[in-house]
Amino acid sequence: MTAQRLFRHIWRFNAIAIAIAACLAILLGLFALREVTKSLTRTVNVRSVTPATPSSPNAPELALSGFTWLQPGRVLWSPLTTAQSYRYGGRAKASTSVRNYLFFDVEQNVTTRLLPDENALIVAARQLRFGPRQEAEPLRQTRPGYTRRGQPPLRALLITRVTKDTDGDGLITARDKPTLGIAGPDGRGHRVLDLAIDKLLSVSMIDAQTALLLVRTLRGFEAVRISLPAGDVTRRDVVAKLSTAQP
């Protein structure tokens, strides 16, 4: 084999290798473009988020997810949720959020709603319980031979709602300043607390008629005592000053 023929074969091999590499690079580029397009166009599912300005004038349809026991043998409850689609940051998003709660008193055969409307976003509904554990209710067994332990008596419900876009991002979320409310153990008599806060940090029961909230306000970190079930603020104490580095 002459040197000229050898170089010809090497050149052909290099040409084929370059062509294959170019094809692979094009395929990889097309695949990356496809993945980026899918990421930008697919709908992202989020929870407890709603646009501050609804895209549709029609009220979103409410859905009932199913009852669970709030007071075993007496009161059932279920969240009323809405599903909304909107665009934010150039991407399509679908959000499921709790707007209200439905209560069913099995003794009186009566249904009631926590709130008169579904305009706010309910971030949390905490059960305030205090006292000795009640007898276990033989209503459901999670596995053969096992009965769920009873819970302390339910004294009230602490409801955390968000009604306004306070951080200016165009969304109503748990990052916005909340509004707190107290409702009775059967979900009735919801009352908004006379308390402006930036964030609810924790809830503790001192006794059957008093709940202690640790909140962040303009004054700093405060321990706030709430009388139950009336929902009156009976005492506020600043337990720590707010650092300028605090978000």
Side-chain angles (χ1 to χ4, degrees), residues 66-83:
F67 281 125
T68 57
W69 286 109
L70 180 62
Q71 298 185 56
R74 183 188 171 192
V75 179
L76 294 154
W77 70 332
S78 173
L80 291 171
T81 61
T82 60

Side-chain angles (χ1 to χ4, degrees), residues 74-207:
R74 183 188 171 192
V75 179
L76 294 154
W77 70 332
S78 173
L80 291 171
T81 61
T82 60
Q84 292 178 284
S85 298
Y86 62 97
R87 296 194 68 85
Y88 185 77
R91 302 185 65 178
K93 296 189 176 184
S95 171
T96 301
S97 56
V98 178
R99 296 303 187 92
N100 211 335
Y101 277 88
L102 184 69
F103 300 85
F104 179 60
D105 190 321
V106 297
E107 292 181 351
Q108 302 180 9
N109 200 36
V110 174
T111 58
T112 57
R113 292 194 181 192
L114 175 69
L115 305 172
D117 55 54
E118 287 75 38
N119 296 330
L121 177 70
I122 297 181
V123 178
R126 293 175 172 85
Q127 301 179 30
L128 305 184
R129 297 180 178 273
F130 185 87
R133 289 184 176 272
Q134 300 170 314
E135 293 293 329
E137 294 285 346
L139 297 172
R140 186 198 311 176
Q141 292 187 345
T142 56
R143 57 180 182 268
Y146 174 80
T147 302
R148 186 179 60 181
R149 292 184 62 190
Q151 294 179 303
L154 180 63
R155 305 298 180 177
L157 296 172
L158 178 64
I159 309 301
T160 306
R161 299 183 300 145
V162 178
T163 59
K164 297 179 181 179
D165 173 25
T166 58
D167 59 6
D169 63 353
L171 299 174
I172 297 177
T173 69
R175 295 189 299 272
D176 295 304
K177 293 183 179 181
T179 299
L180 301 181
I182 289 288
D186 57 358
R188 299 178 182 178
H190 178 268
R191 177 182 176 184
V192 177
L193 299 183
D194 185 17
L195 184 65
I197 69 171
D198 293 331
K199 187 176 182 180
L200 173 64
L201 301 176
S202 67
V203 183
S204 304
M205 291 293 292
I206 297 178
D207 53 48

Side-chain angles (χ1 to χ4, degrees), residues 23-39:
C23 291
L24 290 176
I26 293 173
L27 291 175
L28 288 175
L30 292 174
F31 176 77
L33 179 62
R34 175 175 173 270
E35 292 301 311
V36 170
T37 303
K38 284 174 58 179
S39 176

Side-chain angles (χ1 to χ4, degrees), residues 53 63 138 148 217 238:
T53 304
R148 186 179 60 181
T217 69
V238 177

